[in-house]
Amino acid sequence: MAKKNIINKLFAAGPLILLYYLSISEVDTNLEKLFDIFSINLQIIIIYFWIIKRPSLMGTGHIFFAGLINDVVMGFPLGISSLSYLVVCFVGNYVRNKSVNTTIASDWFTFFIALLFANLLFVYLLNNFSEVIISYAKIGYNTFFTLFLFPVFWFLFHLYQISFIGSQDA
Amino acid sequence: MSVSREDFSIAFRSALLQRGASQKFSILSLIIVALVVFFLDVYGFAVVKTTRSFINDLVYRVTYLTSVPTRLFPGINKGIANHFNLKNENEELRKVIERYKALDLNLEYISNENKNLKKVLDTENVESVTNIVLAKVLVDRNSPFLKSIIINKGSKEGIIKGMPVTQNKYLVGRIVETNFLSSRVLLLNDLNSRIPVTFDEKSTQAILTGGGTRKPTLAYLPEDYEFKENITVFASGKDGIFNAGTPIGKTRNNGEVELFVDPNQLSFVTVNLIKPTKEIF
């Protein structure tokens, strides 16, 4: 019984572990060697999905901290990724408060809004308060591919949720 | 109408301020903290710089450790593929291979590392030169926005911002951030990279501009300049940072430069301890 409980807790911590691992490790979601313009922001997809479906698994403090780690590893000013993650979190919370039942289509549409706000804030802060120059085209491609692949990850995370955590949404 | 506005306001406030069993902090409070951290970091207060330097050293080490499995995967895949391709192997040998596969992979990894180190030592003459530091690449995360690597040497070894970084005497980039035990190297193909270069028999001057893509391009060339293929591009040294004559790459017909060193394949680099006349980036 206790063993089962530990396994359940481990499965429940899966999304958070993945979020931390993606932030701190060398694992890229930028496959430019295969396709020059391809890159996605998997962290934002993870945060949005689990904030909508199971907010209890994705503490905001952890999201903030994962953002800080991501900034250190990527070389961005501290706090900028945390801010964009928290914006996604905020939109996710708002959508959860306002909607009774969500579908993949409604999640996709609201994710677009969250992603847009998060990336706009990211670009605005970098452009106005930092000396780091980034390419608008790269941000655009990143936004496009993140949005485009959202349903794929939605489906994968949904499978994970019903297989290991339980189908009951928040 | 007023009910709908009230609904909106309740949902909005709840999304910002709501806390729960696992949500110990409200989003609003964390946004404020993140903004404070961001502005403290951007405006570079001394305390924040020291703290960030300490955090960087710590996080880079953890990143290096957590990335070990991803570095080993290509080796494991290769080993498995070779194993299946050996047609004439008998059952006994297969069993032996199975047993020693893990050891072989480890050995292959170590011997490759050894070969690379030998190459670096041979070409750079590390023993005879005192003003360079050999460094290992700790983190080579391929960000879509910034092209940089983290090396395992920092201000403890005398590294400061702006110093040129080479591999096999070919220019790789320059130091843009130093911590006590680690540094960040901005690669030549990063959007923020601008290097004065010279090339061809007329000693044409230009600026090598990173575009965030794999190959940087030549900019600020003389009017009506026609690109020729396979001309070696050297650092001109006019910025007082890079050694004049450091080879960088070969030109292409479209104005791009094929770098001698693939920025995605760096394992060991050398930092030239030349004090730059000015700090950039």
Side-chain angles (χ1 to χ4, degrees):
Chain A
M1 190 68 185
K3 196 181 168 189
K4 204 178 174 187
N5 211 7
I6 292 169
I7 291 170
N8 285 344
K9 276 187 179 171
L10 210 63
F11 280 132
L16 203 56
I17 293 169
L18 182 63
L19 178 69
Y20 273 120
Y21 189 71
L22 285 173
S23 298
I24 206 161
S25 74
E26 243 182 20
V27 173
D28 304 320
T29 41
N30 176 29
L31 305 175
E32 66 170 15
K33 283 174 208 164
L34 300 172
F35 184 30
D36 202 27
I37 55 172
F38 181 81
S39 72
I40 63 163
N41 199 334
L42 193 52
Q43 284 100 317
I44 284 187
I45 297 178
I46 294 169
I47 293 167
Y48 191 76
F49 180 87
W50 292 105
I51 279 288
I52 284 214
K53 299 289 180 190
R54 279 296 177 92
S56 57
L57 304 185
M58 213 26 84
T60 45
H62 287 296
I63 292 169
F64 171 79
F65 195 59
L68 284 187
I69 292 171
N70 190 57
D71 289 333
V72 171
V73 176
M74 301 292 247
F76 290 128
L78 279 184
I80 196 163
S81 297
S82 299
L83 275 167
S84 61
Y85 293 173
L86 288 168
V87 166
V88 171
C89 228
F90 165 69
V91 176
N93 267 346
Y94 179 78
V95 169
R96 205 182 64 244
N97 288 340
K98 285 289 274 183
S99 49
V100 180
N101 204 4
T102 59
T103 59
I104 187 166
S106 67
D107 283 351
W108 199 4
F109 177 72
T110 50
F111 175 72
F112 171 63
I113 297 166
L115 186 65
L116 199 68
F117 279 131
N119 282 352
L120 277 177
L121 182 74
F122 184 82
V123 171
Y124 175 79
L125 289 174
L126 267 190
N127 264 357
N128 291 288
F129 301 102
S130 163
E131 288 170 357
V132 177
I133 303 167
I134 52 163
S135 155
Y136 290 125
K138 291 259 173 182
I139 290 265
Y141 291 135
N142 184 268
T143 308
F144 172 76
F145 286 115
T146 308
L147 184 69
F148 186 71
L149 289 174
F150 178 78
V152 177
F153 288 100
W154 189 96
F155 184 69
L156 291 176
F157 293 149
H158 186 67
L159 270 181
Y160 181 85
Q161 188 193 3
I162 53 174
S163 312
F164 301 116
I165 297 170
S167 57
Q168 190 74 46
D169 280 353
Chain B
M1 190 71 181
S2 67
V3 173
S4 134
R5 206 178 302 141
E6 219 167 76
D7 273 358
F8 168 79
S9 130
I10 290 167
F12 192 87
R13 259 185 291 149
S14 167
L16 266 182
L17 302 168
Q18 192 182 41
R19 295 193 306 185
S22 65
Q23 314 276 344
K24 292 190 176 63
F25 309 97
S26 69
I27 290 181
L28 183 67
S29 64
L30 287 172
I31 285 177
I32 292 168
V33 175
L35 277 173
V36 171
V37 170
F38 175 76
F39 284 111
L40 283 174
D41 189 40
V42 163
Y43 292 112
F45 291 102
V47 183
V48 182
K49 267 190 175 175
T50 318
T51 317
R52 173 155 190 166
S53 174
F54 176 74
I55 296 169
N56 285 354
D57 276 337
L58 190 78
V59 171
Y60 294 157
R61 254 72 192 170
V62 178
T63 303
Y64 179 68
L65 288 176
T66 52
S67 304
V68 168
T70 56
R71 281 170 204 208
L72 286 176
F73 272 133
I76 293 167
N77 284 341
K78 201 177 162 189
I80 292 168
N82 284 343
H83 176 73
F84 283 112
N85 287 338
L86 294 171
K87 287 177 185 172
N88 301 322
E89 283 260 296
N90 61 35
E91 279 302 314
E92 211 171 304
L93 269 175
R94 280 186 187 180
K95 279 174 192 168
V96 174
I97 289 168
E98 280 286 326
R99 227 181 294 148
Y100 288 100
K101 200 165 62 178
L103 281 173
D104 274 350
L105 288 169
N106 202 12
L107 192 69
E108 190 185 332
Y109 179 73
I110 290 164
S111 56
N112 282 341
E113 196 176 33
N114 192 25
K115 268 183 212 165
N116 282 339
L117 270 170
K118 273 185 184 167
K119 263 190 225 166
V120 174
L121 287 169
D122 284 346
T123 50
E124 302 276 10
N125 264 334
V126 173
E127 287 141 335
S128 61
V129 182
T130 52
N131 63 340
I132 62 169
V133 170
L134 181 64
K136 187 176 182 178
V137 177
L138 275 184
V139 183
D140 178 16
R141 187 160 167 179
N142 201 1
S143 156
F145 311 125
L146 293 179
K147 308 290 175 196
S148 61
I149 52 168
I150 312 291
I151 55 170
N152 70 341
K153 297 285 160 65
S155 54
K156 190 184 166 197
E157 314 290 330
I159 295 173
I160 56 170
K161 256 169 99 174
M163 283 179 170
V165 178
T166 57
Q167 191 195 53
N168 300 342
K169 289 184 180 169
Y170 301 128
L171 194 63
V172 168
R174 66 168 194 272
I175 303 287
V176 288
E177 175 193 283
T178 51
N179 309 302
F180 190 61
L181 298 170
S182 58
S183 307
R184 184 179 288 274
V185 180
L186 188 78
L187 300 173
L188 294 175
N189 60 337
D190 185 89
L191 194 61
N192 295 274
S193 174
R194 301 281 185 277
I195 313 283
V197 292
T198 181
F199 54 98
D200 73 18
E201 65 272 14
K202 289 180 193 164
S203 293
T204 305
Q205 305 290 315
I207 301 288
L208 186 70
T209 312
T213 51
R214 294 188 79 181
K215 293 173 193 164
T217 50
L218 292 165
Y220 302 104
L221 284 152
E223 270 182 37
D224 303 325
Y225 182 84
E226 277 183 28
F227 291 108
K228 285 173 201 159
E229 191 109 348
N230 275 333
I231 294 172
T232 309
V233 177
F234 302 94
S236 70
K238 287 196 170 177
D239 50 1
I241 294 167
F242 300 107
N243 280 335
T246 311
I248 294 174
K250 295 262 187 195
T251 54
R252 290 278 165 266
N253 278 335
N254 54 1
E256 287 183 339
V257 173
E258 182 81 57
L259 298 172
F260 286 131
V261 180
D262 185 351
N264 295 321
Q265 298 291 325
L266 297 167
S267 308
F268 293 93
V269 291
T270 44
V271 183
N272 301 281
L273 301 181
I274 303 160
K275 205 171 182 180
T277 48
K278 59 175 181 176
E279 278 197 358
I280 49 174
F281 187 73

